[in-house]
């Protein structure tokens, strides 16, 4: 009887401790993770978007300049 009570008590205590720890960990981890994820995603997105815009603009501008020059060079001088 005593052994049963002790085992039940210990299992209950262990379960409560685990549940509390898990809940605390989850509540701590999730906001930290989401904040980090959001920060990483935002910075990654902005960096990627800026990089894409810059590279796209530069390539576009270069292509436009090259085509203009080539058209001017190819055009017969009047």
């Amino acid at each position: 009887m005593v052994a049963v009570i002790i085992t039940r008590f210990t299992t209950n205590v262990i379960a409560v401790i685990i549940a509390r720890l898990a809940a605390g960990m989850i509540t701590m981890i999730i906001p930290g993770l989401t904040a980090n994820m959001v920060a990483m995603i935002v910075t990654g997105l902005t960096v990627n978007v800026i990089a894409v815009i810059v590279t796209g603009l530069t390539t576009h501008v270069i292509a436009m300049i090259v085509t203009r020059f080539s058209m001017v060079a190819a055009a017969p001088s009047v």
Side-chain angles (χ1 to χ4, degrees):
M1 189 66 186
V2 173
V4 170
I5 290 167
I6 288 168
T7 49
R8 283 208 181 144
F9 182 73
T10 48
T11 49
N12 278 346
V13 167
I14 289 164
V16 167
I17 288 168
I18 288 170
R20 288 241 175 103
L21 275 177
M25 288 276 286
I26 288 163
T27 50
M28 278 178 63
I29 287 166
I30 286 171
L33 276 179
T34 46
N36 278 346
M37 288 277 286
V38 169
M40 277 175 64
I41 289 165
V42 168
T43 49
L45 277 179
T46 47
V47 168
N48 277 344
V49 167
I50 289 164
V52 167
I53 289 166
V54 168
T55 50
L57 278 177
T58 47
T59 48
H60 194 73
V61 167
I62 290 164
M64 276 176 62
I65 290 166
V66 167
T67 48
R68 286 267 169 81
F69 272 119
S70 57
M71 281 169 64
V72 168
S77 53
V78 177

